[in-house]
Amino acid sequence: MTKTALITGITGQDGSYLADLLLEKGYRVVGLVSQQHGIGETNIKAIAKRLVLEPGDLLDQTSLESIILKHQPNEIYNLAAISFIPASWDKPSLSFNINTLGLTRILEIVKNKLPRARVFQASSAKIFGRPDKKLVDEQTPIKPIDPYAISKAASYFMIQAFREKFDLFACSAIMFNHESPRRGVEFVTRKITRGAVEISLGLKQELLLGDLESEADWGYAPDYVQAMWLMLQQDKLGDFILATGELHQVKEVCQLAFGQLGLDYEKFVKIDDKLVRPKGSQAFAGNPAKVKQKLNWQPKVKFKQLIKLMVDHDREELNHG
């Protein structure tokens, strides 16, 4: 029997890669497309004819309920969110409404109308705030410090509460940074790979960045959506950290991206003080030991290969765009 999956945020980086994966596995894939808060459909252009796209919004309980009842999904992947932290400060109430109450609306509908559906929630490493260790795991205290992180932390606890109270199959992945050629250009990795290619083609003279010493745990988005799917195939429930366990500096992204194009990043990258964020505590990576052991998951694409993939994509797109 063909399984049906509903993906919110299907046009985003993760949603589109998840749709690719589920189609390969023979799923019928339904995507929620927000007319008000969408980001365009470029990422799903190649597979759009194989998808069932439904106009709807996490802010609208009626539309969510009608879509869920219409399609009776076996699995629901809630990936839609306002995920850019500066935007969450601009509209904190909207961030909470979409990121937390949107999930809560889904959980209410599942509890009342479709209790056998399995629900996946995309959480974020930002929920840890400023931990006092460099490698965090699922037991690390949750102490969010910005509206985005607060909304994601609340969603994480909401999943646990509905799971325990109503015995729903609902789980969260606490995801560290994960990148790809489909990453938005407002995020630093894609800003760098895109900027390096533009400079190599003479379309731009310089690239403005903030702190080059800043570090992050960067993985590959298709690897992470594989783990999302695995989480909903288990007999036993669990919340997992998805991470590589490695920290890399922004400077390393620059070295790799520009180096691949035969350029010295130091000649083109300029520091813009407006882009330098206030120094917080130390950067931290995620410990993927639990997901590796329980789900036999391994990230396949390493950091250097990831940046190469992104540069290759940007070069091809700008050369033929």
Side-chain angles (χ1 to χ4, degrees):
M1 183 177 168
T2 301
K3 279 186 177 182
T4 296
L6 171 64
I7 304 173
T8 73
I10 195 168
T11 60
Q13 170 186 255
D14 293 1
S16 61
Y17 280 121
L18 179 60
D20 289 340
L21 176 70
L22 295 178
L23 287 172
E24 284 174 19
K25 293 184 178 295
Y27 279 68
R28 178 172 171 268
V29 179
V30 181
L32 183 75
V33 180
S34 171
Q35 307 301 306
Q36 191 176 355
H37 300 100
I39 60 171
E41 298 182 13
T42 304
N43 288 334
I44 59 168
K45 191 176 178 182
I47 58 170
K49 290 181 180 177
R50 301 169 62 198
L51 303 171
V52 180
L53 299 178
E54 291 279 10
D57 202 295
L58 289 179
L59 299 175
D60 181 1
Q61 179 116 2
T62 303
S63 75
L64 283 175
E65 184 165 326
S66 66
I67 291 165
I68 290 172
L69 292 181
K70 177 181 175 183
H71 295 287
Q72 303 277 309
N74 306 90
E75 299 169 7
I76 298 173
Y77 297 86
N78 185 40
L79 310 184
I82 291 181
S83 59
F84 192 49
I85 291 171
S88 79
W89 279 113
D90 292 338
K91 295 181 178 178
S93 58
L94 179 63
S95 295
F96 200 84
N97 202 345
I98 291 175
N99 296 358
T100 305
L101 297 183
L103 168 70
T104 308
R105 293 179 186 104
I106 290 171
L107 290 172
E108 282 182 7
I109 295 162
V110 169
K111 172 182 77 77
N112 293 328
K113 308 286 187 178
L114 200 65
R116 291 184 181 177
R118 297 186 168 201
V119 180
F120 171 88
Q121 168 64 15
S123 190
S124 165
K126 300 295 183 186
I127 66 176
F128 295 121
R130 298 190 181 106
D132 49 13
K133 55 184 182 178
K134 262 202 142 171
L135 189 67
V136 304
D137 58 26
E138 289 83 358
Q139 307 309 314
T140 300
I142 293 172
K143 297 178 181 179
I145 58 174
D146 60 67
Y148 168 73
I150 291 166
S151 71
K152 284 294 189 178
S155 298
Y156 179 80
F157 290 129
M158 195 69 74
I159 284 281
Q160 291 187 339
F162 269 75
R163 182 166 73 208
E164 291 167 16
K165 176 73 173 174
F166 303 111
D167 198 29
L168 296 183
F169 195 110
C171 55
S172 298
I174 304 170
M175 294 189 286
F176 280 67
N177 297 58
H178 47 289
E179 319 297 307
S180 76
R182 299 180 190 174
R183 190 59 143 154
V185 291
E186 69 272 23
F187 293 90
V188 69
T189 50
R190 185 77 192 287
K191 183 178 180 181
I192 292 168
T193 62
R194 189 81 170 182
V197 172
E198 287 172 335
I199 288 168
S200 75
L201 296 173
L203 301 174
K204 186 186 277 190
Q205 276 68 53
E206 63 181 18
L207 176 62
L208 299 177
L209 294 174
D211 184 7
L212 299 187
E213 309 294 320
S214 179
E215 294 178 301
D217 181 331
W218 281 300
Y220 183 47
D223 285 343
Y224 287 43
V225 302
Q226 173 76 21
M228 295 177 194
W229 176 76
L230 284 170
M231 286 173 65
L232 292 196
Q233 312 314 308
Q234 305 308 303
D235 293 327
K236 290 187 178 179
L237 274 164
D239 301 317
F240 295 93
I241 278 178
L242 301 185
T244 70
E246 299 176 0
L247 285 172
H248 294 277
Q249 291 185 335
V250 171
K251 185 192 299 182
E252 292 178 70
V253 181
C254 293
Q255 288 170 333
L256 290 168
F258 281 86
Q260 189 177 327
L261 298 164
L263 300 173
D264 179 358
Y265 83 92
E266 292 181 318
K267 294 179 180 176
F268 302 99
V269 172
K270 311 296 180 192
I271 303 302
D272 183 346
D273 291 337
K274 294 190 210 111
L275 298 175
V276 178
R277 293 181 186 172
K279 287 283 184 186
S281 63
Q282 65 180 3
F284 59 97
N287 184 351
K290 180 183 174 184
V291 69
K292 286 181 176 181
Q293 179 190 356
K294 302 284 187 185
L295 304 188
N296 197 27
W297 175 81
Q298 288 285 347
K300 295 173 184 172
V301 173
K302 302 295 186 185
F303 175 70
K304 288 183 180 179
Q305 188 182 354
L306 165 63
I307 303 306
K308 182 180 185 304
L309 283 168
M310 294 173 70
V311 170
D312 286 343
H313 173 271
D314 284 329
R315 182 160 47 183
E316 183 173 345
E317 189 171 81
L318 288 168
N319 271 324
H320 300 98

